[in-house]
Amino acid sequence: MIRWYDYFIIYGWSNAILVIMKIMGLLLRMATDTRTRTITLHKDPWPHVVIENVFDNYEQVYNRVWNVPWNEEQSQPGISFFHAHDEEEWQDVCEQLQSLVQPVYDACGHTVGDTCIRRQMSVHQTKPQYFLQAHNDVKDASQLMLNLQVYFPHESNTGQREAVILHEHKKFSRDNHAVIPYQHNTAWGFFATENTWHTLPPVRTPRRSF
C-alpha cells in the first residue's frame, strides 16, 4: 500500500507540490461555488436593496441570457425584451428569482399580501449608447410594485461605467445619490414610489440584465 508521503519519493518534491496546489485550487473553487446570497438594505437616497450571489448556477444562467437573440417584435430603440416568464424552459430561472421576493419584502419592511402577484420577468438587451433619463418606475400609484434587476455584465465591462445612478429628486444632484455597480451575479431592487428617481447614463457596450 502506498502511503501519502510516498508520493514525495515517487514523483519528487516539485511534482508533489504541484499536486497539492491543484488540490487546494479545487477546494477553493468548491468554496466559492457555495457562496451565500446576501441582501443589504440601503436607505440613501431612498430605500433599496443590493443582492449578491443571486444564482447558485450563475455561469449557466449567464450563458443562457447572453444567447437570447434580439427580439424585434418586443423592442424599442436600443433595447429588446425577451419575456422569460412566458417560456417553459425558463421557469427554473424564474423560480429562483421568485425566491427573492419574500426576503426583499422582509428586508424593506413590507408584507406580501394575499392578492395575486403579477409576475413579469424579462431579459433586457441594450445596445451601446442606450440610456434612460430620470424616471421612478411608477406604473400604478395605487399598487405596490417591486422592481428587481439582476446583472450579467460582459467580462470586460463591470463596475462604475455602466452603473445606474439613484438620486433624491428628478433633477440629479451630487449632494445625495447612490451608484449601483454593474457587477456579476448582483441584483438591486426597490419598491417604486414617486421619489424613486434613477438614471442610466449612456452605456458603452452591449448590456444584459434580467
Side-chain angles (χ1 to χ4, degrees):
M1 182 179 71
I2 299 178
R3 293 155 298 187
W4 68 269
Y5 50 79
D6 289 333
Y7 286 100
F8 291 89
I9 301 173
I10 298 172
Y11 296 108
W13 281 98
S14 59
N15 288 336
I17 291 173
L18 288 175
V19 171
I20 293 173
M21 290 177 66
K22 288 181 179 179
I23 294 174
M24 291 178 65
L26 177 61
L27 293 174
L28 180 61
R29 286 195 297 273
M30 291 173 63
T32 50
D33 286 345
T34 57
R35 289 175 294 185
T36 304
R37 177 190 289 173
T38 60
I39 301 177
T40 306
L41 175 65
H42 302 269
K43 296 188 177 180
D44 293 323
W46 37 262
H48 62 280
V49 295
V50 174
I51 308 167
E52 297 178 303
N53 305 317
V54 176
F55 292 105
D56 292 333
N57 58 337
Y58 174 72
E59 186 174 348
Q60 296 177 14
V61 180
Y62 177 96
N63 291 331
R64 290 170 67 180
V65 166
W66 275 90
N67 283 324
V68 171
W70 186 269
N71 186 357
E72 290 291 349
E73 295 181 358
Q74 295 287 335
S75 65
Q76 300 172 8
I79 185 170
S80 169
F81 306 95
F82 169 73
H83 297 311
H85 58 272
D86 291 333
E87 305 296 333
E88 183 64 32
E89 63 269 22
W90 283 85
Q91 292 311 301
D92 59 323
V93 179
C94 292
E95 287 174 4
Q96 290 188 68
L97 292 176
Q98 186 71 34
S99 71
L100 290 172
V101 172
Q102 185 66 60
V104 171
Y105 267 78
D106 293 342
C108 295
H110 290 293
T111 302
V112 179
D114 296 329
T115 56
C116 177
I117 298 175
R118 187 172 69 89
R119 184 181 72 169
Q120 181 171 319
M121 300 181 182
S122 303
V123 176
H124 289 192
Q125 307 175 68
T126 57
K127 296 180 178 179
Q129 301 305 312
Y130 177 79
F131 68 95
L132 285 172
Q133 296 180 341
H135 59 291
N136 57 20
D137 277 342
V138 172
K139 304 296 189 295
D140 183 346
S142 66
Q143 295 183 347
L144 187 66
M145 187 175 82
L146 170 62
N147 283 348
L148 286 172
Q149 184 177 29
V150 189
Y151 289 144
F152 299 88
H154 190 273
E155 292 182 1
S156 63
N157 183 22
T158 60
Q160 303 289 342
R161 290 192 303 169
E162 311 290 354
V164 172
I165 302 174
L166 282 52
H167 37 101
E168 190 173 10
H169 306 288
K170 185 175 183 179
K171 185 177 181 180
F172 173 72
S173 171
R174 293 186 178 276
D175 294 338
N176 189 13
H177 73 282
V179 175
I180 307 295
Y182 185 54
Q183 295 179 342
H184 287 290
N185 208 10
T186 300
W188 75 289
F190 63 97
F191 290 90
T193 71
E194 295 295 333
N195 300 317
T196 52
W197 295 105
H198 54 291
T199 301
L200 176 65
V203 299
R204 303 184 183 185
T205 60
R207 198 169 185 268
R208 298 290 184 275
S209 64
F210 208 126

